[in-house]
Amino acid sequence: MLDAARRLKYRHNLQARQLRTGRSEVVGILAWGLSGGVNLARYQAVERAIRAGGYRALMGHAAGDEELRLQLAKEFASSAVEGVIVLNTGGAHDAAVQVLVERGVPIVSMEPLEGLSADVVTVDRRAGAHLVTKHLLELGHRRIAFLCGKLTVPANAERFQGYREALGEHGCSPDEALLVRIARSDTWGHYGQGYEAGQRLLAVRPLPTAVFCNNDEVAIGAMRSLGEAGIRIPEDVAMAGFDDAEAAAYAPVPLTTLAQPVQEQAARAVSLLFERIAKPDEERQPHAIRLTPRLVVRASCGAAAGRKRICEH
Amino acid sequence: MLDAARRLKYRHNLQARQLRTGRSEVVGILAWGLSGGVNLARYQAVERAIRAGGYRALMGHAAGDEELRLQLAKEFASSAVEGVIVLNTGGAHDAAVQVLVERGVPIVSMEPLEGLSADVVTVDRRAGAHLVTKHLLELGHRRIAFLCGKLTVPANAERFQGYREALGEHGCSPDEALLVRIARSDTWGHYGQGYEAGQRLLAVRPLPTAVFCNNDEVAIGAMRSLGEAGIRIPEDVAMAGFDDAEAAAYAPVPLTTLAQPVQEQAARAVSLLFERIAKPDEERQPHAIRLTPRLVVRASCGAAAGRKRICEH
DNA sequence: GTGAAAGCGCTAACAT
DNA sequence: ATGTTAGCGCTTTCAC
């Protein structure tokens, strides 16, 4: 019987099964973008966790396109997926996520969400930014610039908050001139944005003695601007990034940064989602898990133990 | 009527439509991995082209797992997609692609395929490797090392071929000691592999005067090994990469490399696939389009026009 | 023009 | 244990 089936090269049809059962065994991943090493790492970790749970992963990659993202969310909601992991956000007012919430699709977000009630498993950017700013302050820096991304993105706003708080605790008044906004650009990636922001930073007088960057790629881009101006790192200016992308250890000067617990974040987000999928009706308070990033000290702030070793393990 | 539908918040069900019509309006993307800037760029370009053609993109990301890749191919074949773009391969003997071909799923590959008859739109790695090796030879280098990936991957084998041919044309006999294999690793990405291979390269005596690397990330990783050994680039050793990833311009020394025509490749691959989908029965000779990469000269080989400018446009 | 009916491939419930 | 049947939501066809 089974044998006959095989001989007739029978293949089961996923959509028919899905139509009949109403279950797709698919989890959607809603991504705003994958540029920057950490986003890719997060995506891969999430995908793996989804597969490990016996589900299939369906990538919804908006690539920075708001309209497309909304479209993808609607497709997800059209019974195509049983739940969604929100990997990334492009801003606080996230219409796509709202659609999912409204239609009762179970979701877990890996970014802070504003004004929406949903499970959230985030990396505490505020704590991370605080950690690294404090590190710089303790090394004696007082004029610490921040190359920051759009503050309407919750993750960026959090970083700014941590930066400002740490400064405040050390009695530093925030200097608006030291806040350099990263220009949004469709033609460059993060490196190019960092390079451009770094050039604007060079116009600030007096020059800051340290620069904290929104992420590692931005930091590496900015390193080049400073390098071209003859500024040495870390002797003249200390630099720090965020994410601990693989590139950070291979930057022109190995970059002090904040490692994100990507694996743990993905595992917890996905298992939380599976819980929600299993008990969709249960009206419980949304979970809000915050994971703390870890400071990784390398040579770029002049505080590295040994300059030669690049990887700590 | 339409109004009533909207008020009853009617949502169409994709799988039901698909079951009925037999058409999914989905194109699958079969990826072996996305690490390395160029793979991500290619993925995004393909995705965009698919959307532009009115189809949806379904990502099948094997993340280096052969079994998973086969599984994904089978899912694609189960009427889930109307065609597949093969973005990436892990080796010459590609069981997953074979499954798709056997079941008559239209495919276009962006990597060379061995022993399978299918449309192919590739970047000519042989020509690229030839170009950059010739460039190094013309700068006077004779001992040119090659940090190469697994030669069972067709793209790598092509690079090796171009490298060897260029050497031969300049009367250089290939030196086995100058061929350093990049170790496969699950724990490192490309940077780490380049770093490790670079360390092994340092044991070669006499040291080569130039190093051509399988890709930009490997080159940047190797730069660090050489840097830690006190070797200056390009004064002591010239370095070249492949891909022109965004990181290449922001390497410790801006990297000479080969830019791949990613956009054009994606556009042509996808439009070829749409042709196949439109006329599935037509028995025509498979197309084989080869696009030539462009040499991008930066400071890492000591031949850059101006060291300050990093982007040529 | 508008409306009814059949059936895509599957599974779950039911009858044997 | 095995076989039969109804129907998931849609589109296509055919009848009105």
Side-chain angles (χ1 to χ4, degrees):
Chain A
M1 187 64 188
L2 231 148
D3 199 47
R6 209 164 294 151
R7 239 178 293 115
L8 290 164
K9 49 183 182 173
Y10 163 80
R11 314 283 175 204
H12 56 212
N13 181 312
L14 286 166
Q15 5 296 133
R17 174 215 242 110
Q18 185 170 332
L19 178 59
R20 179 62 244 241
T21 60
R23 308 191 59 242
S24 59
E25 298 190 318
V26 169
V27 167
I29 302 174
L30 198 60
W32 177 250
L34 292 180
S35 62
V38 83
N39 287 316
L40 189 59
R42 213 178 254 133
Y43 160 52
Q44 295 201 177
V46 166
E47 198 176 44
R48 179 169 308 204
I50 290 170
R51 281 264 162 195
Y55 275 64
R56 276 165 296 132
L58 177 59
M59 180 62 165
H61 182 218
D65 181 335
E66 204 148 338
E67 201 180 328
L68 174 54
R69 183 176 169 98
L70 190 59
Q71 177 65 29
L72 290 166
K74 283 177 184 165
E75 287 171 13
F76 279 168
S78 295
S79 82
V81 302
E82 292 184 41
V84 172
I85 294 283
V86 179
L87 198 83
N88 254 352
T89 329
H93 193 67
D94 196 327
V97 175
Q98 195 161 0
V99 163
L100 295 171
V101 172
E102 279 170 5
R103 301 212 196 155
V105 180
I107 69 166
V108 176
S109 175
M110 297 173 85
E111 293 281 340
L113 251 34
E114 260 172 41
L116 289 170
S117 163
D119 287 344
V120 161
V121 180
T122 55
V123 171
D124 192 340
R125 269 65 162 226
R126 210 194 102 276
H130 191 281
L131 216 55
V132 71
T133 308
K134 193 162 139 261
H135 175 70
L136 291 167
L137 285 160
E138 285 170 354
L139 288 170
H141 295 284
R142 285 301 172 270
R143 285 184 66 72
I144 303 172
F146 179 29
L147 301 198
C148 72
K150 236 170 76 185
L151 289 175
T152 52
V153 177
N156 295 340
E158 279 190 5
R159 273 181 268 241
F160 178 58
Q161 210 185 333
Y163 159 78
R164 202 178 39 186
E165 282 173 14
L167 284 180
E169 287 163 17
H170 281 250
C172 289
S173 55
D175 183 347
E176 181 64 35
L178 294 178
L179 193 69
V180 179
R181 308 287 164 92
I182 296 161
R184 280 269 154 196
S185 163
D186 292 332
T187 46
W188 323 317
H190 289 155
Y191 291 100
Q193 292 173 348
Y195 180 71
E196 189 275 336
Q199 289 184 316
R200 278 184 287 128
L201 180 71
L202 286 167
V204 176
R205 285 297 128 85
L207 217 58
T209 65
V211 187
F212 167 44
C213 301
N214 212 55
N215 61 55
D216 294 340
E217 287 82 9
V218 163
I220 295 171
M223 272 189 186
R224 175 147 304 279
S225 312
L226 301 192
E228 287 176 4
I231 291 163
R232 292 163 304 163
I233 295 162
E235 293 84 353
D236 301 326
V237 170
M239 298 222 45
F242 206 112
D243 291 351
D244 196 28
E246 205 198 353
Y250 299 95
V253 181
L255 188 65
T256 289
T257 186
L258 292 143
Q260 301 200 27
V262 171
Q263 300 299 329
E264 187 187 354
Q265 191 194 14
R268 298 189 69 167
V270 171
S271 82
L272 217 52
L273 184 64
F274 283 148
E275 275 179 37
R276 279 271 158 168
I277 291 172
K279 305 174 194 163
D281 332 296
E282 197 176 319
E283 285 285 334
R284 58 160 169 72
Q285 203 63 6
H287 286 274
I289 298 172
R290 298 182 93 77
L291 305 172
T292 308
R294 182 172 49 85
L295 183 67
V296 177
V297 176
R298 296 205 185 89
S300 70
C301 294
R307 295 276 171 87
K308 280 290 164 77
R309 297 292 329 264
I310 40 165
C311 302
E312 80 307 322
H313 279 305
Chain B
M1 186 65 188
L2 231 150
D3 199 49
R6 208 164 295 152
R7 238 178 295 114
L8 291 164
K9 50 183 183 172
Y10 164 80
R11 315 282 175 205
H12 55 213
N13 181 313
L14 287 166
Q15 5 296 131
R17 172 213 247 113
Q18 183 169 336
L19 177 60
R20 179 62 242 245
T21 60
R23 309 191 57 241
S24 60
E25 298 190 317
V26 169
V27 167
I29 302 173
L30 198 60
W32 176 250
L34 292 181
S35 61
V38 85
N39 287 315
L40 189 58
R42 212 178 255 134
Y43 159 53
Q44 293 200 179
V46 166
E47 197 177 44
R48 179 169 308 202
I50 290 170
R51 281 262 161 196
Y55 275 64
R56 277 166 295 131
L58 178 58
M59 180 62 165
H61 181 220
D65 182 335
E66 205 148 339
E67 201 181 328
L68 174 54
R69 183 176 168 98
L70 189 59
Q71 176 65 28
L72 290 166
K74 284 178 183 165
E75 287 171 12
F76 279 168
S78 296
S79 83
V81 302
E82 290 184 42
V84 173
I85 295 283
V86 179
L87 197 84
N88 253 352
T89 329
H93 192 67
D94 198 326
V97 175
Q98 194 161 0
V99 163
L100 295 171
V101 172
E102 279 170 6
R103 301 212 196 157
V105 180
I107 69 165
V108 176
S109 175
M110 299 175 83
E111 293 280 341
L113 251 33
E114 262 172 41
L116 289 169
S117 163
D119 287 344
V120 161
V121 181
T122 55
V123 171
D124 192 340
R125 269 67 162 224
R126 210 195 103 275
H130 191 280
L131 217 56
V132 71
T133 308
K134 193 163 139 260
H135 176 69
L136 291 166
L137 285 160
E138 285 170 354
L139 288 170
H141 294 284
R142 285 301 172 266
R143 287 184 63 73
I144 303 172
F146 179 29
L147 302 199
C148 73
K150 236 169 78 185
L151 289 174
T152 51
V153 176
N156 295 339
E158 279 191 6
R159 273 181 269 240
F160 178 58
Q161 210 186 331
Y163 159 78
R164 204 177 38 186
E165 282 174 15
L167 285 179
E169 286 163 17
H170 282 251
C172 290
S173 55
D175 183 346
E176 181 64 35
L178 293 178
L179 192 70
V180 179
R181 309 286 164 92
I182 296 161
R184 281 268 155 198
S185 163
D186 292 333
T187 46
W188 322 317
H190 289 157
Y191 291 99
Q193 292 174 349
Y195 179 71
E196 189 275 336
Q199 289 184 318
R200 277 183 287 128
L201 179 72
L202 286 167
V204 176
R205 285 296 128 87
L207 218 58
T209 66
V211 187
F212 168 44
C213 301
N214 212 54
N215 61 54
D216 294 340
E217 286 82 10
V218 163
I220 294 172
M223 271 188 186
R224 175 148 303 280
S225 313
L226 301 192
E228 288 176 3
I231 292 164
R232 290 162 307 162
I233 295 163
E235 293 84 353
D236 302 327
V237 171
M239 298 220 47
F242 207 111
D243 292 349
D244 195 29
E246 206 198 353
Y250 298 94
V253 181
L255 188 65
T256 289
T257 185
L258 293 143
Q260 302 200 26
V262 171
Q263 301 298 329
E264 187 187 353
Q265 190 195 13
R268 298 189 69 167
V270 171
S271 82
L272 217 51
L273 185 64
F274 283 147
E275 274 180 37
R276 279 271 158 167
I277 291 172
K279 305 173 194 161
D281 332 297
E282 197 175 318
E283 286 284 333
R284 57 158 171 73
Q285 204 63 6
H287 286 274
I289 299 172
R290 297 181 93 77
L291 305 172
T292 309
R294 181 173 50 85
L295 183 68
V296 178
V297 176
R298 297 206 184 88
S300 70
C301 295
R307 296 277 171 86
K308 280 289 166 73
R309 297 291 330 263
I310 38 164
C311 302
E312 78 310 322
H313 280 305

